[in-house]
Amino acid sequence: MFCFENSFDYLFQRKYDDHATDLIKTKLADIVYTLRRDKLVPADKTMDLRKLLEAKTGEQGLTTSEKDPEELLQLLFEKVFKVDPLLKLGPKEGVFTFQLILDQSSTLDKNIPTLQDILEMYCFHEKIHFEQEPNVLIVTLPRFGSGHKVFQDKVIPNLELDITNLVLTSAKDCDTCTQQYAVRQCDNCYSVTGRGRPTFHCERCWQHTHGPSTKRRDHVSTALKIPELVNSDDADVDVLDRATLQLFAVICIKTSHYITFVRTSKSADAQWVFFDSMSDRIGGDIDGSNIPAVRVIEELKHLNDVDSVRRMAFDKKLSEDFNRLLSDVYICMYRNLRLDSY
């Protein structure tokens, strides 16, 4: 969230009325400064933050037990800093982390699904839409306990996540001709076309594919609103301005230990760094200490080519770190470069 990223800096740049929150803000800022300078943070600094959080919120176990990242994020955003939800799902509904809730019978056509596949399948199946483009999107993949995932093998986190079809205010292009903006959405086509999502149609293509003489004539459409800009004389109807998000961090877990992969910049060819606070250990359980690991992972550039990643996985040519990323992915963090305020 903070090492190479500034989307959350507003948390410790705001003014807070109560002293306890101000102390947490100051401690968090100190941790972020140390992390950006040294790429590691001493354990005593994070323990001090845990103590302040426990005193402020009354949450038990922050200094003595393991906590899920979702719990900590919810605590910081909602109970401590009391900021607006990161993702709006309706006029009065919002969330800080978007949890993909899929049962173990859920299936996808691809051997190794992408996060794009899973996100679209879940949202369209549950009829969930984003009220607007988010600045930041934190997605958690479905798990049953710390070691059991719905998709037992691997998931590919997309470097670029296309949420155009999920955002109510985004124009959609016609699936058939791809030259016109869609004015109709067909949910019935979800199980007919094999796309894993509803289909979108301009009026002419709707009549061609769903007219009285077609096999899909009984399908019911939902009217889509086209943003005003698209209808203006200045709008380029040949090029759809798609809503995309850039992946900047992935948290993985296999049993009870979390590791992270973090993007070092916003450039397309940015390097990725692996972080493990407990990579090795010196001494015993009581008097010993953990040895952290920080290293560059060159292979993550292959995430741009999903088919190549699938071939590498099938041929068992993935490095140990790359395999851990795909096998143990749990939380993916995305940023909106178009709405970036920094």
Side-chain angles (χ1 to χ4, degrees):
M1 288 175 61
F2 295 106
C3 189
F4 300 103
E5 178 60 25
N6 54 23
S7 294
F8 300 99
D9 284 11
Y10 70 94
L11 294 175
F12 51 82
Q13 291 173 347
R14 299 171 61 191
K15 292 183 178 180
Y16 298 96
D17 295 332
D18 66 289
H19 182 61
T21 302
D22 204 52
L23 282 176
I24 292 173
K25 180 192 78 170
T26 303
K27 176 55 66 176
L28 178 61
D30 179 46
I31 288 174
V32 170
Y33 173 77
T34 304
L35 179 63
R36 289 174 176 171
R37 183 191 63 196
D38 303 332
K39 303 302 179 283
L40 291 169
V41 178
D44 59 333
K45 286 182 178 287
T46 56
M47 180 55 72
D48 288 343
L49 178 61
R50 283 173 172 261
K51 289 177 180 178
L52 290 172
L53 288 173
E54 193 171 68
K56 163 71 176 176
T57 65
E59 184 78 18
Q60 299 299 310
L62 281 172
T63 58
T64 57
S65 305
E66 294 180 350
K67 288 292 181 181
D68 187 277
E70 282 185 275
E71 294 181 79
L72 187 59
L73 290 173
Q74 196 76 16
L75 203 66
L76 282 172
F77 288 131
E78 187 173 20
K79 292 187 178 181
V80 176
F81 295 122
K82 300 178 181 178
V83 296
D84 294 332
L86 300 177
L87 178 64
K88 292 184 178 180
L89 302 176
K92 296 183 179 180
E93 183 182 3
V95 294
F96 295 104
T97 59
F98 189 55
Q99 186 176 21
L100 303 181
I101 305 173
L102 300 172
D103 60 42
Q104 291 175 300
S105 63
S106 299
T107 58
L108 287 165
D109 294 334
K110 301 179 178 64
N111 292 328
I112 303 179
T114 64
L115 182 62
Q116 181 88 46
D117 296 327
I118 301 172
L119 178 67
E120 288 193 345
M121 181 180 70
Y122 172 64
C123 288
F124 286 121
H125 184 268
E126 299 297 327
K127 300 188 184 306
I128 294 174
H129 289 90
F130 300 166
E131 190 77 6
Q132 59 191 38
E133 287 186 49
N135 282 16
V136 176
L137 178 64
I138 302 177
V139 182
T140 64
L141 285 160
R143 306 181 72 95
F144 294 93
S146 61
H148 302 285
K149 296 163 284 187
V150 170
F151 304 99
Q152 290 294 335
D153 189 18
K154 295 176 176 64
V155 173
I156 301 173
N158 304 78
L159 285 182
E160 184 177 271
L161 196 65
D162 190 331
I163 59 171
T164 306
N165 294 334
L166 303 178
V167 180
L168 283 176
T169 55
S170 293
K172 285 81 173 167
D173 56 358
C174 175
D175 284 327
T176 304
C177 69
T178 70
Q179 300 299 314
Q180 299 292 325
Y181 290 105
V183 295
R184 293 174 182 261
Q185 173 179 318
C186 181
D187 292 330
N188 299 111
C189 282
Y190 180 90
S191 58
V192 173
T193 62
R195 291 178 181 269
R197 63 163 175 80
T199 54
F200 302 97
H201 308 269
C202 65
E203 188 59 39
R204 184 175 63 179
C205 290
W206 171 263
Q207 295 301 329
H208 178 72
T209 59
H210 291 72
S213 60
T214 67
K215 293 181 179 180
R216 301 187 209 172
R217 58 182 176 272
D218 294 331
H219 289 195
V220 179
S221 69
T222 301
L224 297 175
K225 291 183 178 180
I226 300 179
E228 292 182 5
L229 176 61
V230 172
N231 289 325
S232 71
D233 295 334
D234 296 330
D236 184 358
V237 297
D238 293 325
V239 180
L240 180 67
D241 188 16
R242 305 198 69 83
T244 59
L245 305 175
Q246 184 188 68
L247 182 69
F248 69 87
V250 179
I251 299 175
C252 298
I253 180 173
K254 187 171 184 179
T255 52
S256 60
H257 174 53
Y258 296 97
I259 58 173
T260 59
F261 296 84
V262 183
R263 191 184 194 121
T264 57
S265 75
K266 297 173 182 178
S267 65
D269 59 349
Q271 288 185 319
W272 283 78
V273 175
F274 167 82
F275 284 84
D276 185 351
S277 62
M278 300 168 58
S279 179
D280 205 347
R281 189 169 179 82
I282 297 177
D285 293 338
I286 299 177
D287 59 349
S289 58
N290 295 319
I291 302 176
V294 180
R295 57 178 176 268
V296 174
I297 308 296
E298 296 288 352
E299 297 94 333
L300 264 65
K301 61 186 179 183
H302 293 298
L303 284 173
N304 270 327
D305 188 344
V306 172
D307 291 333
S308 174
V309 173
R310 290 190 176 116
R311 286 194 299 270
M312 292 168 64
F314 181 79
D315 295 334
K316 301 186 184 303
K317 293 183 177 180
L318 296 173
S319 68
E320 180 182 354
D321 289 328
F322 202 0
N323 188 65
R324 290 177 76 180
L325 172 72
L326 303 184
S327 300
D328 302 328
V329 55
Y330 174 36
I331 297 177
C332 296
M333 297 186 178
Y334 286 87
R335 61 186 164 213
N336 193 326
L337 296 180
R338 182 164 57 181
L339 301 181
D340 191 356
S341 59
Y342 288 88

